[in-house]
Amino acid sequence: MEQKTFPKVAIVSCNPMRADIANGIMMRSLFASWPRDCLTQIYFPVGADYPPEFDSCQDYRRINWLGEVQRLETKLSEASKTTEIAKLEVSSESRTRYQTLVALKQRKHVFKWSKCAQEIWYANSWIGRALRKQIEDCQPDIVYALLGNYSLAKNTFLACMQVGVPLYLHITDDYVRSLYQSMPFGKVLAATSDKWLRQCVAYSSGRAGISPTMAEEYQERYRKPWDTFTTGASPESYDPTPRRCDGITRFVYAGNLGLGRWKQLRALAVALNEMSAKSSSTLSLEIYSSQEQVNAHRESLELAPVVKLRGWVPMEELPKVFHQADVLVHVESFEKEVIALTRLSLSTKLYQYMMAGRCLLGIGPEDLASMKLIRQSNAGVIFSANPSHGLKETIQNTFLSDETRLNLGRNGRTWAERWGDCRLERERFRKSLEKAFLSSRHQQA
């Protein structure tokens, strides 16, 4: 039997590994097989600062905007054992910060200037030295960096180069060509971002995108090989058999309402309400998202009698939620700025949706990576018209037929078992990280 090896990894990212943050979910999934004592996560909180979860990693190092480092290994784990009050206080503080961030985003001009200032400060202050000292202290075999802005790319590249540690890149959004479009000094920031990412790519011994579309484009753009890793799903956790018939066709969405996604959900809710009023079909749309986002968009989405707004549910409960669905919904924004950010990305939910054996309804631009996956896997139907004229006809022609839904659901399950099994993804990821580490060591020798 092959002896598996696990390099000692320092994970650098903006957010910790948590089961309620998209990138946190992906990191937890990919590193689930790793021994906890081989992992250290160094992160820079952006927006709401939720505490990490210790089941995947036992050593967390939080660097704030002043460059101050907080070791969270002992403090939060002991607090969680001794009192629920400490956890509630942290959660309450995080919610307050999140609500402040939401309010700031509504004042777009102020928000853009604050983001610009944050990027420049993080990239040009002593924060980079703090990162370097943490990498020196934990002495990893390799650094895995989940990049999402230029300041993180710059600081990570310089720290790894100065310490002499190999670097593995992972990118989930095409931030270089999208994040700075509407910011003050946007062209300068974009050019600077591209410069530092290119240096990261040149230095790195391993690189990955979140979708095949991203890997193909980045390979052409940066002239280096790119792999693909995203959040997988466990086949045993999902029951693909049809649910008990109750005369209702249930549409279910679980995920983020931000980046304009709520607008497509509202269009779907309007269509389902109009169809219910004109026929004997009973239709429902259940929306699962964080309570903060539900509250922020309640007025737009709470359309009786079809829509049922739910709060966030833990990851382990999602298979039950999906089993009670007939159609699982994935939505993306038609807004130009958002398309630029998400066109190469994949939702963390897509393989979970497919593994559940339910057909998919994708609403969004057809050339997005997520919509391409739905079409390529033949797991559902995508609707790409904006405004949403013809959505009712698409629903009527595809999703009200039990046989059609079952066939599409089976296609999705088959595809997910082949390409989205989390165990296969983790092992492939382990080998990729190990190869990058060994390749770098060989070059140094």
Side-chain angles (χ1 to χ4, degrees), residues 289-443:
S289 190
S290 69
Q291 198 60 54
E292 290 89 354
Q293 291 200 6
V294 167
N295 291 339
H297 300 289
R298 183 179 299 278
E299 185 176 345
S300 300
L301 292 175
E302 202 165 41
L303 304 180
V306 166
V307 177
K308 296 176 176 60
L309 294 177
R310 313 294 192 190
W312 179 84
V313 295
M315 178 72 69
E316 59 271 15
E317 294 182 20
L318 284 177
K320 295 179 182 178
V321 171
F322 296 163
H323 183 71
Q324 295 305 316
D326 296 298
V327 181
L328 292 171
V329 180
H330 177 69
V331 294
E332 294 286 0
S333 175
F334 285 96
E335 296 173 16
K336 188 175 181 180
E337 286 185 14
V338 179
I339 291 173
L341 182 66
T342 62
R343 68 184 182 88
L344 303 178
S345 305
L346 283 184
S347 167
T348 58
K349 294 290 191 305
L350 277 179
Y351 279 119
Q352 297 170 19
Y353 276 5
M354 291 182 181
M355 203 66 84
R358 298 296 182 263
C359 65
L360 276 60
L361 168 60
I363 305 177
E366 62 181 355
D367 59 345
L368 267 60
S370 56
M371 299 300 161
K372 289 181 179 179
L373 178 61
I374 294 173
R375 184 171 59 244
Q376 185 179 7
S377 62
N378 197 23
V381 172
I382 65 171
F383 182 82
S384 299
N386 184 43
S388 55
H389 302 309
L391 180 56
K392 288 185 289 185
E393 289 75 12
T394 298
I395 295 170
Q396 183 72 48
N397 295 337
T398 303
F399 298 105
L400 300 189
S401 165
D402 292 343
E403 183 178 359
T404 301
R405 291 200 309 269
L406 290 173
N407 287 336
L408 294 173
R410 280 193 289 265
N411 293 341
R413 173 77 181 197
T414 299
W415 184 278
E417 288 175 339
R418 174 65 181 86
W419 300 105
D421 187 324
C422 61
R423 296 165 302 188
L424 301 177
E425 193 80 341
R426 286 169 193 156
E427 179 59 12
R428 202 168 61 82
F429 177 70
R430 183 193 67 81
K431 289 181 177 179
S432 182
L433 218 59
E434 181 185 39
K435 179 181 177 182
F437 162 60
L438 294 176
S439 172
S440 176
R441 189 167 65 177
H442 177 72
Q443 290 176 3

Side-chain angles (χ1 to χ4, degrees), residues 12-52:
V12 177
S13 67
C14 289
N15 293 302
M17 290 191 280
R18 284 186 60 92
D20 55 356
I21 301 172
N23 283 339
I25 294 169
M26 184 186 70
M27 287 187 288
R28 285 169 59 91
S29 176
L30 293 176
F31 284 104
S33 61
W34 237 264
R36 288 197 310 153
D37 58 358
C38 286
L39 298 177
T40 297
Q41 187 175 17
I42 307 167
Y43 71 99
F44 302 80
V46 176
D49 179 18
Y50 292 103

Side-chain angles (χ1 to χ4, degrees), residues 244-289:
R244 183 179 60 84
C245 181
D246 59 2
I248 302 174
T249 303
R250 300 180 186 273
F251 292 71
V252 171
Y253 173 81
N256 197 328
L257 302 180
L259 296 177
R261 293 185 176 104
W262 66 270
K263 296 179 182 178
Q264 275 57 260
L265 289 171
R266 177 177 171 79
L268 175 59
V270 169
L272 293 177
N273 261 324
E274 292 177 358
M275 293 174 68
S276 292
K278 295 179 181 179
S279 71
S280 58
S281 301
T282 303
L283 307 172
S284 74
L285 171 60
E286 297 185 12
I287 298 174
Y288 293 82
S289 190

